[in-house]
Amino acid sequence: MKTIKGDYQHINTGKTVKLSSLIKSGDITDHSIIQIFSAAGAFITKGNWFQDHILDWGDSWGQATKAGTGLTVNFRLA
């Protein structure tokens, strides 16, 4: 199992990444919940990567963070 400082390619690295690249990286599983926030921090939407309202944001760039060992990944738009 991956840890907060674990073997993620994009999560908690501080690097800006395309949401579609994050999904394809293996950092996200089918059970992960992605929460998308605006650059100002306002909540936009949340769901699994395969849901249309998340896939619609696939071309967007942002930073991915995850606190703890839960299933939720926060994606803040750049």
Side-chain angles (χ1 to χ4, degrees):
M1 177 179 264
K2 296 179 181 184
T3 62
I4 296 172
K5 297 178 184 178
D7 301 319
Y8 295 117
Q9 292 180 37
H10 302 296
I11 296 174
N12 294 338
T13 63
K15 297 177 183 176
T16 302
V17 63
K18 201 174 193 180
L19 181 58
S20 60
S21 296
L22 172 65
I23 292 168
K24 293 174 189 174
S25 72
D27 288 356
I28 303 293
T29 70
D30 288 351
H31 301 288
S32 299
I33 301 296
I34 300 172
Q35 295 186 129
I36 300 176
F37 296 89
S38 72
F43 174 78
I44 297 173
T45 191
K46 74 176 180 178
N48 302 94
W49 72 265
F50 50 82
Q51 294 177 306
D52 289 340
H53 61 276
I54 299 297
L55 291 173
D56 288 344
W57 293 91
D59 289 333
S60 300
W61 290 81
Q63 292 184 351
T65 58
K66 181 176 177 177
T69 58
L71 297 176
T72 304
V73 174
N74 296 321
F75 188 77
R76 187 168 180 160
L77 300 175

